Amino acid sequence: MSTAPYDVLVLGAGGVGSAALYQLAKRGLRAAAIDRFQPPHIHGSSHGETRIIRQAYFEHPSYVPLLKRSYELWRELEAESQRSLYHETGLVEIGPPDGIVLPGVMRAAEQFDLEIDQLTPVEASRQFPQYLFPDDHLVAFERRAGYLLVEDCVSTFLQLAQQHSGELIGDTQILSWSRDGEGFCVSTSRGEYRAAKLIIAGGSGAVELLKQLNVPLRVLRKHLHWYAIDDLRLQEANGCPCYFFESSHGYFYGFPEITPGGGLKGAEHGGGQELASPWDYEHSADPEDQRRIAAFFQRSIPGVSKRPLRHETCLYTMTPDENFLLGLYPGEERIALAAGLSGHGFKFTAVLGEALADLVERGTSPLPLEFLAPDRFAR
Ligand SMILES: Cc1cc2nc3c(=O)[nH]c(=O)nc-3n(C[C@H](O)[C@H](O)[C@H](O)COP(=O)(O)OP(=O)(O)OC[C@H]3O[C@@H](n4cnc5c(N)ncnc54)[C@H](O)[C@@H]3O)c2cc1C
């Protein structure tokens, strides 16, 4: 591709960067990913055991073609690595008929002919007695949904990338990047690296790495909680699905107990504490967040005990419209970027890695990405 030491440098090796490195290395490109830590790690957005994956996308139906491709890529990754990364537990979604979630799920399902069971609260209580469904809400069950093992996905991408001769440059802070003749120079805590092209996949670090784009990205500190269960029907082994509840109290979601004694995991999708810096924040639990999740369990999943087992913090990087930034860097065909995944990006990382590799290699992707164009806020 060029005489620079690397064809492509990937800035950040979390969920997206590790997937991009894997795609580049598989194509035989000379590629390396630089990360401040040794991924997977607990300082960004891709940790905490599990992430929900689903296709009937209430946020915006235009994500569905990306999700269909993502499902194929996760299965390919499992086949190549001989690891089980995606667990199809199904997903129960509950919300008011005039809310955001249920109408959005049904709209996406109808538009893309996705299989969704629509249930009354009475039918849903019979099928999923471990959850409480308000009488005036609607329920949808998406069978082809479940969870991804988040750290295992990142380490699998990185291991396979390295087998294909991709490099991980860990424990290295990126200080800045700049144009350098025909290519780019990335200045880091360990010196300078040069490449013909860049992929920027810095998660919350995009606040600094993409400062010149002038998109107001906000970083939120979010919380994950694991609580002991009293009701064994909440175990994945007993057929318990993942869940997503919308109500007047907020948006709460979570996962069955996936290992005996590990507890049921729950979190609130809204809220969070805005951070001034993505590197300097408190990792301890927030009492108000803990009170809200405990109240949610009492209201909606009474088989969860009052005994917290574990807590983790994790970061959301929000765009103004909560849709991703994905595409070529405005005015620069040699840089592709993915940023501002707004708390719902992990399920896409497989397809984002492929799209970024396509963009930086060929200048285009066959996927419909226009609605995510990085320059849409400037237009
Ligand atoms: C609590 C929580 C729950 C979530 N639940 C879901 C879910 O159920 N389903 C779903 O699909 N998504 C979910 N998400 C969102 C999803 O996890 C994220 O969108 C995704 O992990 C983001 O990946 P990323 O690669 O952009 O960021 P990261 O994985 O954080 O990667 C960015 C990497 O860049 C590195 N980096 C940044 N700046 C620099 C620098 N200057 N120098 C060196 N390295 C740098 C960081 O160290 C990091 O490793 C959740 C997120 C959180 C926090």
Side-chain angles (χ1 to χ4, degrees):
M1 216 177 185
S2 85
T3 54
Y6 293 103
D7 294 322
V8 186
L9 277 171
V10 182
L11 310 194
V16 180
S18 63
L21 181 66
Y22 164 67
Q23 285 287 339
L24 296 166
K26 226 167 71 151
R27 296 170 190 205
L29 296 171
R30 292 167 300 155
I34 308 176
D35 203 286
R36 182 169 171 151
F37 302 98
Q38 286 289 347
H41 59 76
I42 59 157
H43 306 284
S45 306
S46 300
H47 61 280
E49 204 168 64
T50 43
R51 290 290 185 273
I52 289 179
I53 176 164
R54 56 195 158 88
Q55 289 191 20
Y57 223 60
F58 66 81
E59 290 89 338
H60 198 312
S62 303
Y63 284 103
V64 177
L66 279 73
L67 285 161
K68 289 190 166 180
R69 181 65 186 141
S70 211
Y71 268 68
E72 290 170 1
L73 290 168
W74 288 119
R75 288 306 192 201
E76 281 177 25
L77 188 71
E78 288 186 310
E80 190 181 344
S81 64
Q82 296 291 300
R83 288 190 195 165
S84 168
L85 302 168
Y86 166 49
H87 291 232
E88 197 165 280
T89 59
L91 170 70
V92 188
E93 290 171 288
I94 302 109
D98 57 350
I100 304 286
V101 174
L102 262 291
V105 165
M106 298 322 294
R107 186 172 58 238
E110 210 174 289
Q111 195 172 329
F112 289 94
D113 201 20
L114 302 171
E115 204 187 317
I116 294 290
D117 298 339
Q118 208 177 334
L119 306 168
T120 64
V122 172
E123 289 164 339
S125 308
R126 243 182 261 128
Q127 200 169 332
F128 306 109
Q130 57 276 58
Y131 298 128
L132 295 182
F133 302 100
D135 290 345
D136 55 351
H137 281 29
L138 296 176
V139 183
F141 181 59
E142 182 171 345
R143 216 169 285 275
R144 284 208 66 203
Y147 67 83
L148 293 160
L149 291 168
V150 56
E151 288 93 346
D152 288 0
C153 291
V154 174
S155 59
T156 301
F157 279 133
L158 291 174
Q159 280 165 19
L160 293 185
Q162 285 165 317
Q163 283 170 22
H164 290 288
S165 302
E167 275 178 57
L168 172 64
I169 304 169
D171 296 321
T172 304
Q173 188 182 352
I174 300 156
L175 304 172
S176 63
W177 58 269
S178 55
R179 286 170 186 83
D180 176 40
E182 293 288 289
F184 296 92
C185 173
V186 178
S187 165
T188 77
S189 53
R190 286 179 196 253
E192 293 181 341
Y193 293 87
R194 287 186 166 70
K197 299 188 176 187
L198 297 182
I199 286 178
I200 302 181
S204 54
V207 171
E208 290 155 10
L209 296 172
L210 293 174
K211 214 183 306 183
Q212 288 134 330
L213 274 188
N214 285 324
V215 176
L217 296 174
R218 289 186 312 128
V219 178
L220 302 179
R221 180 174 72 125
K222 303 284 302 171
H223 303 270
L224 297 166
H225 303 274
W226 286 259
Y227 275 66
I229 58 167
D230 293 331
D231 180 349
L232 295 183
R233 291 175 305 183
L234 292 170
Q235 293 178 333
E236 180 187 358
N238 292 332
C240 182
C242 294
Y243 61 89
F244 196 113
F245 280 69
E246 174 183 9
S247 76
S248 56
H249 300 278
Y251 300 88
F252 294 88
Y253 67 94
F255 307 77
E257 180 176 83
I258 65 173
T259 49
L264 179 134
K265 179 178 155 189
E268 182 167 5
H269 186 50
Q273 294 89 40
E274 191 163 346
L275 299 181
S277 155
W279 307 121
D280 182 20
Y281 60 94
E282 187 55 61
H283 282 259
S284 57
D286 174 69
E288 173 58 12
D289 191 85
Q290 200 145 24
R291 188 194 63 71
R292 287 176 63 80
I293 197 83
F296 161 72
F297 286 146
Q298 278 179 33
R299 244 181 355 255
S300 306
I301 320 183
V304 177
S305 80
K306 292 190 174 133
R307 192 155 54 88
L309 293 177
R310 189 151 83 84
H311 158 269
E312 286 195 25
T313 49
C314 187
L315 303 178
Y316 277 11
T317 309
M318 312 297 290
T319 62
D321 63 7
E322 301 187 13
N323 292 311
F324 312 159
L325 302 179
L326 176 67
L328 290 170
Y329 192 97
E332 178 51 86
E333 288 186 351
R334 297 166 301 163
I335 307 177
L337 68 95
L341 303 190
S342 303
H344 60 111
F346 195 83
K347 61 185 83 62
F348 295 91
T349 51
V351 71
L352 297 184
E354 183 182 62
L356 290 167
D358 283 346
L359 286 169
V360 87
E361 195 186 9
R362 304 179 197 129
T364 180
S365 155
L367 290 163
L369 306 178
E370 297 72 27
F371 75 113
L372 304 174
D375 65 354
R376 67 183 181 277
F377 298 106
R379 279 185 223 142

